[in-house]
Amino acid sequence: MATSEAQKRASMKYFKNNVTQKVIRFGVNDADILEHLESQDNMSGYIKRLIREDMEKCKGSSEA
C-alpha cells in the first residue's frame, strides 16, 4: 500500500523531534575499519554498543 502524504508528514515530524543523526566519513586509510563495520549484522547497534562499553570503562576508571 502506498504511504499517504499525512503519514509521510507524521513520520518526518517524529524523526525531527525524536531522532538525532550523525554522519561519519571514512577515508581511504580507514578501509579496514569500514570493512569491519560493514561486516556487522547491525552497524548502528554495533557502534552504540562500543560507545556504551567505552562509557562504562571510563566511568569505572574515574571512580578509582
Side-chain angles (χ1 to χ4, degrees):
M1 182 188 304
T3 306
S4 70
E5 288 301 315
Q7 181 60 47
K8 289 178 188 176
R9 286 192 305 272
S11 293
M12 290 299 292
K13 181 178 177 182
Y14 174 85
F15 281 105
K16 180 179 177 185
N17 294 325
N18 297 292
V19 176
T20 301
Q21 181 174 331
K22 299 295 179 184
V23 175
I24 184 169
R25 292 182 172 90
F26 295 92
V28 293
N29 294 332
D30 300 324
D32 58 332
I33 297 170
L34 182 58
E35 182 179 350
H36 181 73
L37 180 60
E38 289 176 337
S39 74
Q40 304 304 309
D41 289 336
N42 180 342
M43 288 190 279
S44 179
Y46 177 71
I47 292 169
K48 290 175 187 178
R49 181 177 55 81
L50 289 176
I51 293 170
R52 286 188 177 105
E53 288 173 359
D54 188 56
M55 288 169 56
E56 284 299 314
K57 186 173 84 174
C58 290
K59 181 180 166 184
S61 66
S62 67
E63 293 176 358

